[in-house]
Amino acid sequence: MSTNSQLGNRKLIIGGFFCLIVVIYLCRLFYIQVIDPQYKLDAEKNAFRYMTEYPVRGYIYDRKGKLLVFNAPSYDLMVIPRETKGCDTMGVCEVLQITKQDYLKRMKKACQAPNSPRKESIFEKQMSAQTYAALQEKLYRFKGFFVQKRTVRRYPKPIAAHLLGYVGEIGKEQAEKDVYYKEGDYIGITGLERSYEDVLRGKKGTQIAITDVHNKIIGRYMDGKYDTLAIAGKALYCTIDRDLQEYGEKLMQGKKGAIVAIEPSTGEILCLVSGPSYDPNLLVGGKERSKNFTKLYYDSLNRPLFNRALTAMYPPGSIFKLIDALIAQNDGLINRNTVYPCQMGYPPMGGKPKCHAHGGGKNLTGSIAASCNSYYSYVFREIVDQRKYPHFIDGYNHWRDVVKTFGPGTRLGTDLPYDKPGNVPSVEYYNKVFGKNGWRSNTIVSLGIGQAELTLVPLQMANVVAIIANRGYYFTPHSIKGVGIDKKLDNRFKVKHYVAVQDQTAYLNVIDGMQGAMEPGGTAFTNRLKDIVVCGKTGTAQNPHGDDHAVFLAFAPRENPKIAIACIVENAGFGNTWSAPIVTLMIEKYLKGKTERPEVEKRMLEGDLITKNNKKDALKIKHH
Amino acid sequence: MARNENSVFYGVDRVTLIVYVLLVIMGWLNIYAAVYDEEHQNIFDTTQKYGKQLIWIGGAAVIAFSVLLIDANFYTAFSYGFYGFFLAMNILVLFLGKEIKGSHSWFRFGSAGIQPAEFMKFATGLALAKFLSNQNIIINQQFRLRLKDLIKNYKNTVFALLFIVVPLILIIKLQNETGLAIVFIAFIIVLYREGLSVGFLIFGILTAILFVMALVVTSISGLLITLAVISASAFLFINRSRKNLILVVIVFIAACGVVLTTNYVYNHLEDHQKVRIDVLLGRGTVDLKKEGYNVNQAKIAIGSGGFLGKGYLQGTQTKYDFVPEQDTDFIFCTVGEEWGFVGSTVVIFLELFLILRVIFLAERQRSDFSRIYGYGVASVLFFHLAVNIGMTIGLMPVIGIPLPFFSYGGSSLWSFTILLFIFIKLDSNRLLILR
């Protein structure tokens, strides 16, 4: 026993060693269980499958409650490659009408990154109803396949494609930036679908399923306690008048250009036509979608995807004289009785800009009705060179600042995406072009008649006429009356924006002149309406690339105006020939619900300027 | 327990018994949780593992009772007999047993099986106790270089080591059961308690450290230079005698030998063993989907339990089979996930408490045999505990050995029961005779 007593302390060493190991283990356990969160995250990734329930996208109605956009069910065939053991492969091929090679190719794609054989991926996108019906009967034989229900957009009338925009698969980068989306989700890409994506999309629902190590679904996590239901998107009540929009698109058939109509008292956009347009049903999912998109995208002659109403910047031409007349009166430079000479052109510059025969010098109202170029060259100079300003550059900046309050050169801030600001050239720009001190008011006098570098988009043109109809203010043009059942509208569309001209006599004189344009001696006399007092203004915008663009804007009726509208038809020549008939037909249609000038209507509907111009271009190329 | 001297339970240590029963019940409940699925909810369903475990538990109760029933003298008298018998069984199994996954360690009886290697543990414990208590061996602490002294001093040590090494080599080499074999290393602790020179342990620990370092450190020559510097600087602290010089040189040469043979040894391991070492040491790239899967999933399951756990039967990781072997070697994952840090601590403390209790009981024995056997029990249990839990939390390589009293399996439960209850029986007789 002597040895035992000698070695007695070894029991303590052994016991201490055991305890030490256990303490080390407990520290380690404390670290991985309590401190390090990584394992909890990994565990969720392991065992939960988040299944998405897609919400129904909000419908879109027009201002009278007529349907513009609804949803149709669509079915994607999904596959989890690992679970396809024992699947009736030939059956799948038969139903989808694909070859075995196709099947294997798709299956390979579903197995490769970023897909995975353990995870679901799309095998066939948006099957037709017939395919779906045929498939459903046999689905039990197709192991590893299942159907994911989604919805696609449908349009009862093939109109308003540019305004409504389209929905498409989200881009990879965007999906990474925005946590709401994941790859393969749909998102509004243009138009209202884009602007109101947040309210239209609703909210995705999630079901949390528990999966085992084979990724097989075992059941619902906590019996669905943490599942969320999909919330349908809110309906959108549009300011568009479906009938007016449809009629406008018909009138613009075969023409390039745009029609924009605004209700002056609210700033609501009544129609937004861009020609040529396309059937929005072409761009809803499915196999056809990308084919159609490519076709539209590469149609360089017509550029149907190009929304001219918001993004095409046109020189305004003579319609700009209205703004000059207002500014000059407001500055006290001219009055109703001011007369300027006209000798088929602007005398100080040797007859440039040119003018047309309208019977000599006119007073203010007459100059508007007859659209005298000389008159507004004088007016422009009066404004720029007025005595108040020591230097003409200050005068020019004054003119430019006032013009900008009417919209040109600024984004209007409408609720539609991608609107362009147009252009009112700056002093710096001219200094660069002509050199400092290298230019005078007369150098740029064609600005006064809406030419040169001055450009507006059609929406801005319509807004200008709305300002005149309102005599000095506008509401930011917008295309939505309200969102959801309570029709909530953004407060920014309820704010009156006053322009820099508030002289009511000035407006009265200009409106008289516009009314005069529709009367004998006026530029648009041939398009006058019998029982509606229309105040209009023609414009002919010179176009360096070809024939002039025909512009016309108008509001009606004169008292308590209901519609302010602008129309531009590319390469159509004089404003009264194409644009004025279209505008007056639209006014008739909107105010009376019908048109009473069948011969004008027929000429407009049948006029195919695109084919005509294309032929002309082809001929030109031959001559060269 | 019974006060009656004739009762089976006379003198039985109640604390040990209660902890044993607690562990077995907790193990069974956790096996139920690990295997649990909605279709088979009956815990007594014998087509499921938890139902079978209940049968094993019943068998263990019978065995425990029988062990207590037999006279304590039987174990001392037949110590070598047990050793010889089970050694023979372990050889026999090579010829009569069925091969399962490359190992030759199972006797099959229908769907059940018995591994004789499991029972080799208590037999070795008995034989070692017998040998060490009969010989007044232990071991001169003086270090002499003369061969005659060496033989005289270490003859018994070598014999004692043979009791350990023979079954170890038999099981590791012929039966191909590394996990079962490696447990026998635990008996070194018994030898240490009985006087094995600390030098041996230090030597062993240094060898292990050097082995690991040679695998982790990329520059072997750097490691050798470091060793040389350490050896040289040893002279600063010890008496610069000729004897010490030779000692240091021997240690240095041995250390270099270990370092240089490390790669040879490593390369001659089985592939899965290499991988397990790589996973533990983080050598090379570990693919979490393949070789790193077990340990990673085990850590995920335990780590996701948090402080209080997810609740009984609420573990998603173990219930849905993400963790492999979760009812046997990885049963601790279920504990970690469903009972959290608190539950894990309770289980580890219970196991540790049982082990320390055995040591405490061993130290109060008047018989050397009982004390030595007790240390054998404590060492084997602790080795299982340390390796089993260590591998689930990534501190030990994956070695397939069960958590005592907890893991599913008849062989392991029965062998642990026999191991422990022989000691309980010996302890119950401690006042009666001096063996």
Side-chain angles (χ1 to χ4, degrees):
Chain A
M1 298 310 285
S2 63
T3 46
N4 192 15
S5 52
Q6 272 173 28
L7 299 167
N9 65 338
R10 287 199 172 181
K11 73 180 176 206
L12 298 176
I13 294 174
I14 293 169
F17 172 70
F18 288 180
C19 292
L20 176 73
I21 297 282
V22 163
V23 168
I24 291 171
Y25 280 19
L26 289 179
C27 291
R28 170 77 172 177
L29 271 172
F30 190 78
Y31 178 74
I32 68 172
Q33 291 192 300
V34 183
I35 294 172
D36 191 345
Q38 186 55 43
Y39 298 107
K40 287 156 200 82
L41 299 177
D42 286 347
E44 283 189 16
K45 258 190 263 163
N46 253 347
F48 293 155
R49 190 197 288 172
Y50 292 86
M51 293 187 302
T52 309
E53 193 191 333
Y54 287 95
V56 178
R57 207 172 165 84
Y59 284 22
I60 303 179
Y61 300 94
D62 88 334
R63 64 188 293 115
K64 292 172 183 160
K66 289 180 186 163
L67 197 58
L68 286 171
V69 189
F70 66 104
N71 299 312
S74 123
Y75 304 94
D76 291 345
L77 185 61
M78 313 292 288
V79 68
I80 301 174
R82 260 178 70 117
E83 293 173 13
T84 54
K85 222 179 216 172
C87 168
D88 177 6
T89 312
M90 287 323 289
V92 177
C93 295
E94 208 176 286
V95 172
L96 297 180
Q97 294 178 333
I98 55 172
T99 63
K100 184 122 194 253
Q101 277 78 16
D102 284 336
Y103 178 93
L104 294 174
K105 221 161 67 189
R106 288 181 193 191
M107 202 56 99
K108 204 173 150 197
K109 204 182 147 206
C111 290
Q112 283 165 345
N115 301 319
S116 147
R118 287 157 156 251
K119 300 257 155 81
E120 61 198 63
S121 46
I122 297 179
F123 191 80
E124 169 95 354
K125 250 189 219 174
Q126 305 192 348
M127 295 175 286
S128 67
Q130 295 96 311
T131 313
Y132 174 61
L135 185 86
Q136 221 178 10
E137 279 172 30
K138 296 177 184 165
L139 201 58
Y140 73 97
R141 293 210 321 249
F142 303 160
K143 298 230 164 56
F145 285 89
F146 64 97
V147 172
Q148 166 100 56
K149 202 179 149 190
R150 295 201 198 209
T151 56
V152 290
R153 293 305 233 180
R154 288 280 170 213
Y155 307 85
K157 299 251 179 187
I159 56 164
H162 292 108
L163 175 92
L164 298 170
Y166 56 88
V167 171
E169 254 178 61
I170 192 169
K172 202 179 162 189
E173 277 173 36
Q174 205 183 348
E176 277 164 9
K177 257 189 266 162
D178 194 330
V179 287
Y180 179 82
Y181 302 96
K182 61 172 198 243
E183 263 191 273
D185 280 359
Y186 287 91
I187 187 172
I189 293 183
T190 60
L192 288 178
E193 300 277 18
R194 183 191 179 90
S195 312
Y196 291 93
E197 167 70 15
D198 289 352
V199 289
L200 283 173
R201 71 184 179 194
K203 199 159 177 263
K204 282 192 273 193
T206 312
Q207 291 176 5
I208 309 172
I210 302 175
T211 60
D212 69 359
V213 67
H214 309 298
N215 203 30
K216 224 165 60 191
I217 292 179
I218 307 289
R220 307 278 290 276
Y221 178 61
M222 300 286 276
D223 289 325
K225 200 169 139 194
Y226 294 106
D227 290 2
T228 50
L229 286 173
I231 299 167
K234 286 181 182 157
L236 227 52
Y237 296 91
C238 221
T239 59
I240 298 297
D241 184 305
R242 192 175 89 173
D243 300 331
L244 188 68
Q245 176 79 22
E246 189 183 13
Y247 187 60
E249 290 193 15
K250 258 193 213 155
L251 292 173
M252 286 302 284
Q253 262 170 21
K255 301 163 197 77
K256 290 183 192 173
I259 311 171
V260 180
I262 295 173
E263 185 176 69
S265 59
T266 57
E268 291 175 358
I269 297 172
L270 299 172
C271 79
L272 192 93
V273 179
S274 173
S277 187
Y278 61 94
D279 180 352
N281 284 307
L282 291 175
L283 293 189
V284 293
K287 265 190 245 163
E288 298 298 312
R289 187 214 128 98
S290 51
K291 221 193 283 171
N292 290 331
F293 185 83
T294 317
K295 219 161 108 193
L296 292 170
Y297 187 78
Y298 287 106
D299 183 355
S300 58
L301 218 52
N302 295 318
R303 299 177 66 199
L305 292 175
F306 181 45
N307 186 356
R308 290 173 166 81
L310 290 184
T311 49
M313 303 203 286
Y314 297 106
S318 303
I319 58 166
F320 201 77
K321 291 167 185 169
L322 301 173
I323 295 177
D324 286 329
L326 288 170
I327 298 172
Q329 290 179 81
N330 201 48
D331 290 352
L333 303 171
I334 58 170
N335 58 40
R336 195 179 174 96
N337 301 319
T338 308
V339 176
Y340 288 107
C342 175
Q343 295 158 7
M344 298 288 278
Y346 176 49
M349 293 290 283
K352 274 190 175 172
K354 279 194 259 177
C355 196
H356 55 99
H358 48 65
K362 293 277 183 192
N363 67 357
L364 179 56
T365 50
S367 73
I368 292 172
S371 195
C372 176
N373 287 345
S374 307
Y375 196 98
Y376 287 94
S377 302
Y378 279 111
V379 167
F380 180 71
R381 265 202 60 191
E382 292 283 352
I383 300 168
V384 175
D385 291 342
Q386 60 182 295
R387 289 228 183 84
K388 205 159 69 180
Y389 301 106
H391 198 268
F392 83 95
I393 283 181
D394 300 319
Y396 178 74
N397 275 332
H398 159 71
W399 172 84
R400 185 170 182 261
D401 291 344
V402 178
V403 166
K404 284 179 92 170
T405 65
F406 284 81
T410 54
R411 270 207 179 79
L412 281 175
T414 166
D415 55 354
L416 290 165
Y418 304 126
D419 62 323
K420 285 266 169 65
N423 183 36
V424 186
S426 63
V427 169
E428 290 74 36
Y429 171 79
Y430 283 126
N431 278 343
K432 220 187 265 170
V433 173
F434 300 113
K436 211 167 179 185
N437 303 323
W439 55 291
R440 296 280 172 271
S441 55
N442 265 341
T443 325
I444 53 167
V445 78
S446 57
L447 284 178
I449 56 167
Q451 300 291 351
E453 293 86 349
L454 192 64
T455 53
L456 272 70
V457 300
L459 179 71
Q460 288 173 328
M461 296 181 188
N463 196 44
V464 167
V465 73
I467 292 166
I468 296 169
N470 284 338
R471 303 179 191 201
Y473 66 88
Y474 69 94
F475 294 94
T476 302
H478 53 279
S479 49
I480 287 303
K481 274 181 109 64
V483 173
I485 305 164
D486 43 353
K487 300 199 179 171
K488 244 182 81 186
L489 181 66
D490 197 329
N491 280 331
R492 72 191 171 102
F493 298 127
K494 296 176 188 163
V495 180
K496 259 188 202 179
H497 298 278
Y498 287 94
V499 298
V501 176
Q502 289 301 324
D503 178 356
Q504 291 302 303
T505 332
Y507 283 103
L508 190 71
N509 292 337
V510 166
I511 289 168
D512 281 346
M514 289 171 77
Q515 192 181 340
M518 312 299 292
E519 280 164 2
T523 50
F525 170 56
T526 49
N527 281 304
R528 72 175 297 175
L529 298 176
K530 265 190 292 174
D531 41 6
I532 302 169
V533 183
V534 176
C535 303
K537 180 76 196 80
T538 54
T540 307
Q542 278 170 15
N543 168 23
H545 309 296
D547 289 347
D548 295 344
H549 299 323
V551 187
F552 191 78
L553 46 75
F555 67 87
R558 180 181 161 133
E559 301 310 323
N560 199 8
K562 289 271 178 279
I563 180 170
I565 180 168
C567 170
I568 183 157
V569 182
E570 290 182 23
N571 315 115
F574 186 50
N576 191 38
T577 341
W578 290 101
S579 294
I582 290 175
V583 163
T584 47
L585 283 169
M586 292 287 281
I587 290 173
E588 272 187 284
K589 179 84 181 170
Y590 183 65
L591 294 180
K592 295 203 283 189
K594 58 182 186 207
T595 55
E596 285 159 346
R597 295 178 297 159
E599 67 300 331
V600 178
E601 187 173 41
K602 187 165 177 264
R603 187 166 67 88
M604 287 303 116
L605 289 175
E606 288 174 357
D608 186 352
L609 297 175
I610 292 179
T611 321
K612 200 177 110 196
N613 284 328
N614 287 348
K615 269 188 197 150
K616 235 196 253 171
D617 289 344
L619 227 69
K620 260 189 219 159
I621 292 164
K622 245 186 207 169
H623 283 299
H624 284 295
Chain B
M1 296 293 149
R3 295 268 144 235
N4 185 348
E5 278 187 34
N6 295 322
S7 161
V8 177
F9 293 104
Y10 176 75
V12 163
D13 182 60
R14 285 182 234 172
V15 178
T16 314
L17 198 64
I18 289 167
V19 175
Y20 166 81
V21 171
L22 269 177
L23 282 172
V24 169
I25 291 173
M26 285 167 70
W28 181 49
L29 291 175
N30 279 293
I31 291 165
Y32 179 70
V35 183
Y36 176 82
D37 68 78
E38 255 94 54
E39 281 170 44
H40 303 92
Q41 293 203 355
N42 187 349
I43 198 165
F44 302 109
D45 185 343
T46 54
T47 64
Q48 299 299 304
K49 282 198 167 166
Y50 38 83
K52 281 190 191 147
Q53 180 72 359
L54 194 60
I55 297 173
W56 296 125
I57 291 171
V62 173
I63 287 170
F65 197 75
S66 314
V67 168
L68 294 179
L69 212 56
I70 296 168
D71 192 301
N73 289 320
F74 176 77
Y75 304 113
T76 40
F78 288 95
S79 290
Y80 291 140
F82 278 120
Y83 189 78
F85 175 75
F86 282 107
L87 207 56
M89 294 302 281
N90 272 298
I91 294 167
L92 216 57
V93 79
L94 296 172
F95 306 104
L96 300 178
K98 263 202 177 147
E99 181 176 331
I100 296 171
K101 289 184 206 157
S103 96
H104 295 267
S105 62
W106 291 87
F107 284 121
R108 300 297 300 185
F109 309 103
S111 68
I114 288 285
Q115 275 181 306
E118 286 281 3
F119 299 93
M120 199 65 218
K121 291 173 202 164
F122 88 87
T124 305
L126 285 174
L128 208 56
K130 181 88 170 176
F131 177 75
L132 291 176
S133 59
N134 281 350
Q135 307 292 320
N136 193 6
I137 45 167
I138 299 292
I139 285 154
N140 199 330
Q141 306 268 312
Q142 286 275 305
F143 178 77
R144 290 210 177 85
L145 278 176
R146 271 181 305 185
L147 190 62
K148 207 174 82 186
D149 289 340
L150 277 177
I151 293 172
K152 195 181 135 209
N153 278 338
Y154 293 107
K155 188 183 74 184
N156 285 335
T157 310
V158 171
F159 271 123
L161 281 173
L162 275 181
F163 278 106
I164 300 166
V165 171
V166 168
L168 192 153
I169 289 176
L170 177 72
I171 294 168
I172 208 169
K173 274 291 162 199
L174 300 177
Q175 294 184 3
N176 214 357
E177 279 283 359
T178 318
L180 284 173
I182 218 159
V183 170
F184 289 87
I185 292 173
F187 286 108
I188 301 285
I189 298 171
V190 180
L191 298 187
Y192 169 72
R193 168 63 186 85
E194 295 308 313
L196 182 68
S197 166
V198 183
F200 277 94
L201 288 184
I202 292 173
F203 183 77
I205 290 167
L206 279 180
T207 307
I209 291 173
L210 284 172
F211 185 82
V212 169
M213 281 181 70
L215 285 175
V216 175
V217 174
T218 43
S219 158
I220 293 297
S221 50
L223 191 58
L224 292 178
I225 292 167
T226 313
L227 281 175
V229 171
I230 292 172
S231 306
S233 54
F235 281 108
L236 298 174
F237 304 103
I238 58 173
N239 192 358
R240 259 159 274 184
S241 66
R242 187 164 158 274
K243 196 178 83 180
N244 283 346
L245 180 69
I246 294 171
L247 184 70
V248 167
V249 169
I250 289 173
V251 168
F252 173 70
I253 290 171
C256 291
V258 169
V259 169
L260 291 173
T261 52
T262 293
N263 270 319
Y264 175 83
V265 173
Y266 175 80
N267 287 331
H268 281 75
L269 289 174
E270 302 263 338
D271 279 342
H272 71 271
Q273 289 166 338
K274 279 187 209 168
V275 163
R276 285 169 184 181
I277 290 172
D278 289 349
V279 169
L280 180 72
L281 301 179
R283 296 176 92 223
T285 51
V286 174
D287 186 345
L288 292 181
K289 291 228 166 71
K290 292 187 193 128
E291 60 265 21
Y293 182 81
N294 286 20
V295 172
N296 189 47
Q297 291 296 334
K299 278 197 277 186
I300 288 174
I302 293 171
S304 68
F307 189 71
L308 289 172
K310 297 176 184 169
Y312 189 52
L313 301 181
Q314 300 301 315
T316 53
Q317 302 302 300
T318 49
K319 200 158 61 167
Y320 301 122
D321 306 335
F322 287 99
V323 184
E325 306 285 340
Q326 55 196 320
D327 48 349
T328 55
D329 298 342
F330 283 89
I331 188 71
F332 189 69
C333 296
T334 311
V335 179
E337 190 185 9
E338 298 193 343
W339 302 102
F341 179 69
V342 172
S344 307
T345 308
V346 167
V347 170
I348 293 175
F349 271 151
L350 269 182
E351 296 264 5
L352 179 69
F353 179 79
L354 182 71
I355 291 160
L356 294 179
R357 179 80 189 167
V358 169
I359 290 180
F360 169 78
L361 295 182
E363 287 292 345
R364 76 178 181 187
Q365 302 302 316
R366 281 191 276 173
S367 134
D368 286 349
F369 179 89
S370 301
R371 184 186 69 247
I372 297 167
Y373 181 75
Y375 267 93
V377 174
S379 305
V380 167
L381 291 181
F382 183 76
F383 192 88
H384 279 87
L385 174 73
V387 172
N388 182 281
I389 290 176
M391 75 180 176
T392 62
I393 56 180
L395 291 177
M396 287 271 175
V398 175
I399 297 169
I401 61 175
L403 186 61
F405 315 116
F406 235 78
S407 291
Y408 171 79
S411 290
S412 71
L413 179 61
W414 287 3
S415 80
F416 283 127
T417 302
I418 295 170
L419 185 77
L420 180 66
F421 275 82
I422 289 176
F423 179 68
I424 292 177
K425 179 69 188 173
L426 292 174
D427 174 60
S428 71
N429 279 9
R430 71 185 186 279
L431 300 172
L432 295 184
I433 29 163
L434 188 64
R435 267 179 290 270

